[in-house]
Structure formats: structure tokens, C-alpha cells
């Protein structure tokens, strides 16, 4: 029967992997990591709080897509909390942690990152359903959206708690990984591969959306002259999708690959030298999400600016700017074409030329 080591402190496990945490987290490296981490966390807290407040305050955002967007902001806010907890429980402190406290530290990170990833997947599926049905918003009711949000957090919490529930190496010390000294290597392989598969599914979904919109736009362009902005929609859409996918690839793939290599017990990959930098890179995704998903929406940005400046705009101007939700502003006589264009990015590429044409007509 294997011996279990639940009563050991983390120094026992770190020493087995020859990880000198004290030397690695001192001097200039420690200062740089803490400065970047502090700045990122502050930005995550402020920007994602503004996104959540904007969705709650502005009734124009009371739609399924924006509820999911607010939940994504909440997941990123939670990621900031997890990273703050990590900063106070890392470096030389790591070796003094109990097993349960170390599980909590890593569980918070795994939960926050899984919540962000699953939420992004749900948003992608929601957009796909809407676009294929040529609608601005999906037919999701508030109850269904609430159920989806609860499910996202249930999955995230479960994934964060899996090692604590038993999938660890405390009773099989030969199976311990290097980056996570009490995580089983098999779990790291499972977790990294699962996330890479989810990422691949997201890529396929967004590529399918883009190809569908491009095909529909070309068909419509051959039957109507349209506006200049509408003809440029495929280009703008490609830039938006490539920004989204590029940010995710840059921020997530390196860390997932490193975890996969550690799970495969690659002893010559030098993963200990890059682990903290890839962690910062993964954290960047929570920094970039508010920019990619929110700040490109003029109405969202306007709402957040009003909250920051603590000033309200003239009501008559507000009524003139939009009599209906911001994501429906681009509706024209070419209904199906604009529905498809607007449904992809929720008003971020709305044709201002179309509005001008309507105003002059």
C-alpha cells in the first residue's frame, strides 16, 4: 500500500523536484514580476468592474450576449483575485505552505481560467446560433442564460477542485509533476489537452461564422450596390476575429504546451525557467478581454466613460443616438444582410455610412 503525505509541507515536494523557489523569486526578477502582476491586477479589477456596471446600468445591454459578456468580466475579475492570492503565497513562501493552502492557491487559478475559457466558448456558440438564424440576438431566455452562467461556474469550480478531490500524487509520489509538485502528471495532461481542444472548437466556430457572413455578404453585394461600409464588413470582421483568436493563442497556448510537456515528464525542456512568464502571459488574456469584447462597442465605451466622469449626457441627445438597443442600430431595408453583420460583433462594425444614408433619405 502506497504511503500518503497529506501532513507534509510543500518544502518536501519542492525539494523532490529540485525547485529552488527562494532563489528564483529574489532580486530584479521578483520586482519585475510583482510590478507587472500588480499593474495587471489593478487594470483587471477596474476595467471588468466597469464592464459589469455598464451591463447592469444600461438597459440597452439587457440581452443574452451582454449577460454572458458580464459573466466573462466576472470571471476575469476573479482571475485578478486569484493572482493576488498567488502573489502573497509564492516565492520563498511557497515552501512554507500546507498542502491544503497550496491546493487553494492553484484551485483559484484553475477555476478562474476555466471560467473564462468556458464562457468564451459559450459566447462563441451563442453568436453562431444567432448568425445562422440571421438574428441580432439568440432566443435564449433569462432563465436559460442564468442556467448557462451557473453551469459555467459549476464546471469551473469542479475543474479547480478535481486535484483536491483525489486526482493528485500525494499517495503516489512518483507521479508528481515538476511545475505543480503535488499534481499528478496525468491530470496536467488531461487539463492541458482539454483546454486545447476547447480552443480548437472556438477557432472552428469563429471561422465558420466568418465564412458564412462573407458568403452572405458577397451574395447581397451582387444584388445591391450597398454602402461602402457594408462592402468593407468582411475585412473588418476578419480583423476582429483575428484579434480575438490571436490574443487567445498568444496568451494561452504557451502555458498549455508547457503544462503538457510537464505532464509528459519532459526533463530536458527547461520548463522551470519560463513558468512564471507564461503565467503572466495567461493573465494578459483577462486584461485584453474587456478591450476586445467591450471597448470596441461604442455604446459600451460611452456608458463606461459616463460612469468614470460621473456626468450624464443630455437626454435628448441620448434619445437621438439610439431609440433601440445599440446592437440594432444598423438595421436597414436590407434586413438580412445587416442582421448578419451586426450579429457577429454586436455593433462594433455597424455601418455608419448606412445610418448616414438613412438620415439623408
Amino acid at each position: 500500500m502506497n504511503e500518503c503525505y497529506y501532513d507534509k509541507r510543500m518544502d518536501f515536494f519542492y525539494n523532490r523536484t529540485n525547485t529552488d523557489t527562494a532563489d528564483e523569486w529574489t532580486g530584479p526578477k521578483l520586482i519585475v514580476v510583482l510590478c507587472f502582476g500588480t499593474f495587471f491586477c489593478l487594470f483587471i479589477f477596474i476595467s471588468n468592474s466597469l464592464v459589469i456596471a455598464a451591463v447592469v446600468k444600461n438597459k440597452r445591454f439587457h440581452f443574452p450576449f451582454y449577460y454572458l459578456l458580464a459573466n466573462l468580466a466576472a470571471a476575469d475579475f476573479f482571475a485578478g483575485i486569484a493572482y493576488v492570492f498567488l502573489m502573497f503565497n509564492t516565492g520563498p513562501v511557497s515552501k512554507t505552505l500546507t498542502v491544503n493552502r497550496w491546493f487553494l492557491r492553484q484551485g483559484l487559478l484553475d477555476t478562474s481560467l476555466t471560467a473564462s475559457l468556458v464562457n468564451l466558448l459559450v459566447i462563441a456558440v451563442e453568436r453562431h446560433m444567432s448568425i445562422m438564424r440571421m438574428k441580432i440576438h439568440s432566443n435564449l431566455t433569462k432563465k436559460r442564460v442564468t442556467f448557462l452562467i451557473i453551469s459555467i461556474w459549476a464546471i469551473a469550480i469542479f475543474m479547480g477542485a478535481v486535484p483536491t478531490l483525489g486526482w493528485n500524487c500525494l499517495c503516489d509520489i512518483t507521479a508528481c509533476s515538476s511545475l505543480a509538485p503535488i499534481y499528478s502528471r496525468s491530470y496536467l495532461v488531461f487539463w492541458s489537452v482539454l483546454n486545447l481542444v476547447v480552443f480548437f472548437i472556438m477557432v472552428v466556430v469563429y471561422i465558420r461564422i466568418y465564412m458564412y457572413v462573407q458568403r452572405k455578404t458577397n451574395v447581397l453585394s451582387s444584388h445591391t450596390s450597398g454602402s461602402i461600409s457594408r462592402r468593407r464588413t468582411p475585412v473588418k470582421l476578419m480583423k476582429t476575429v483575428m484579434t480575438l483568436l490571436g490574443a487567445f493563442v498568444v496568451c494561452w497556448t504557451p502555458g498549455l504546451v508547457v503544462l503538457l510537456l510537464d505532464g509528459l515528464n519532459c526533463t530536458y525542456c527547461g520548463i522551470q525557467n519560463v513558468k512564471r512568464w507564461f503565467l503572466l502571459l495567461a493573465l494578459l488574456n483577462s486584461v485584453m478581454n474587456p478591450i476586445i469584447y467591450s471597448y470596441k462597442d461604442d455604446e459600451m465605451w460611452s456608458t463606461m466613460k459616463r460612469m468614470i466622469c460621473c456626468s450624464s449626457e443630455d437626454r435628448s441627445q441620448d434619445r437621438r443616438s439610439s431609440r433601440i438597443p445599440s446592437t440594432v442600430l444598423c438595421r436597414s431595408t436590407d434586413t438580412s444582410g445587416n442582421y448578419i453583420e451586426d450579429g457577429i460583433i454586436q455593433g462594433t462594425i455597424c455601418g455608419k455610412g448606412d445610418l448616414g444614408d438613412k438620415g439623408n433619405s
Side-chain angles (χ1 to χ4, degrees):
M1 181 176 181
N2 294 335
E3 181 181 359
C4 296
Y5 299 90
Y6 292 102
D7 58 338
K8 297 289 186 180
R9 288 191 174 272
M10 289 306 300
D11 58 343
F12 172 79
F13 300 97
Y14 278 113
N15 291 335
R16 290 194 70 261
T17 58
N18 297 320
T19 302
D20 196 345
T21 56
D23 291 343
E24 289 183 352
W25 288 82
T26 56
K29 289 184 179 180
L30 176 62
I31 296 175
V32 171
V33 170
L34 290 180
C35 288
F36 272 95
T38 301
F39 173 78
F40 289 157
C41 288
L42 287 176
F43 183 84
I44 288 172
F45 292 147
I46 295 172
S47 61
N48 286 287
S49 295
L50 287 173
V51 172
I52 296 172
V55 173
V56 173
K57 181 179 180 181
N58 196 332
K59 293 184 178 180
R60 298 167 186 170
F61 299 143
H62 291 183
F63 293 95
F65 173 82
Y66 285 104
Y67 294 146
L68 294 173
L69 183 67
N71 190 55
L72 175 62
D76 292 328
F77 188 94
F78 187 83
I81 296 176
Y83 194 81
V84 169
F85 188 84
L86 172 65
M87 287 194 297
F88 284 98
N89 292 274
T90 192
V93 181
S94 296
K95 290 189 174 183
T96 66
L97 298 177
T98 63
V99 168
N100 290 333
R101 191 170 181 85
W102 196 93
F103 272 136
L104 176 61
R105 189 189 80 173
Q106 297 304 123
L108 289 175
L109 290 173
D110 294 346
T111 298
S112 62
L113 295 180
T114 303
S116 295
L117 183 60
V118 176
N119 208 110
L120 289 172
L121 177 62
V122 172
I123 289 176
V125 174
E126 191 272 344
R127 288 295 83 207
H128 184 271
M129 292 172 56
S130 300
I131 301 309
M132 294 303 167
R133 296 175 181 177
M134 300 173 62
K135 294 182 178 180
I136 297 295
H137 295 290
S138 62
N139 293 328
L140 292 174
T141 62
K142 289 186 178 180
K143 290 184 178 180
R144 290 181 179 178
V145 174
T146 302
F147 173 77
L148 283 175
I149 292 175
I150 294 175
S151 299
I152 289 170
W153 284 102
I155 294 172
I157 293 173
F158 175 76
M159 290 302 298
V162 165
T164 310
L165 296 176
W167 200 346
N168 54 61
C169 63
L170 293 177
C171 295
D172 185 12
I173 203 167
T174 60
C176 291
S177 67
S178 176
L179 293 178
I182 57 177
Y183 275 14
S184 174
R185 288 194 299 270
S186 60
Y187 173 75
L188 290 186
V189 172
F190 164 78
W191 195 85
S192 57
V193 170
L194 178 63
N195 282 277
L196 288 172
V197 169
V198 173
F199 166 70
F200 176 76
I201 293 174
M202 287 178 55
V203 172
V204 172
V205 169
Y206 277 111
I207 290 177
R208 178 177 170 82
I209 291 175
Y210 168 74
M211 294 178 63
Y212 180 81
V213 172
Q214 188 180 46
R215 185 170 65 253
K216 285 293 183 180
T217 303
N218 292 336
V219 171
L220 292 172
S221 299
S222 63
H223 292 84
T224 179
S225 59
S227 63
I228 297 177
S229 61
R230 186 180 305 170
R231 292 185 178 185
R232 292 177 179 173
T233 295
V235 178
K236 294 180 180 179
L237 178 60
M238 172 60 80
K239 291 180 178 179
T240 301
V241 172
M242 292 306 297
T243 301
L244 168 67
L245 298 181
F248 195 85
V249 168
V250 171
C251 293
W252 277 83
T253 303
L256 292 175
V257 171
V258 166
L259 288 176
L260 181 59
L261 292 175
D262 187 29
L264 296 175
N265 199 23
C266 180
T267 57
Y268 302 100
C269 298
I271 55 180
Q272 291 289 348
N273 300 324
V274 297
K275 61 180 182 180
R276 72 180 59 81
W277 306 112
F278 286 167
L279 179 61
L280 284 174
L281 195 59
L283 183 71
L284 268 176
N285 188 240
S286 296
V287 175
M288 299 176 70
N289 280 339
I291 300 174
I292 297 174
Y293 286 90
S294 304
Y295 296 163
K296 288 187 178 182
D297 188 318
D298 293 336
E299 183 65 28
M300 176 71 75
W301 178 240
S302 176
T303 303
M304 289 190 292
K305 283 197 299 184
R306 287 198 297 268
M307 291 188 297
I308 294 174
C309 299
C310 298
S311 61
S312 58
E313 297 180 350
D314 181 63
R315 292 184 178 179
S316 60
Q317 181 180 357
D318 185 68
R319 286 195 296 269
R320 288 197 302 270
S321 64
S322 177
R323 296 180 180 178
I324 52 179
S326 61
T327 56
V328 196
L329 282 175
C330 301
R331 183 179 298 177
S332 69
T333 55
D334 191 359
T335 308
S336 62
N338 269 334
Y339 272 19
I340 297 173
E341 296 171 10
D342 298 338
I344 294 287
I345 51 177
Q346 292 293 332
T348 62
I349 56 173
C350 286
K352 294 182 180 179
D354 292 346
L355 294 177
D357 294 341
K358 287 194 292 183
N360 293 330
S361 60

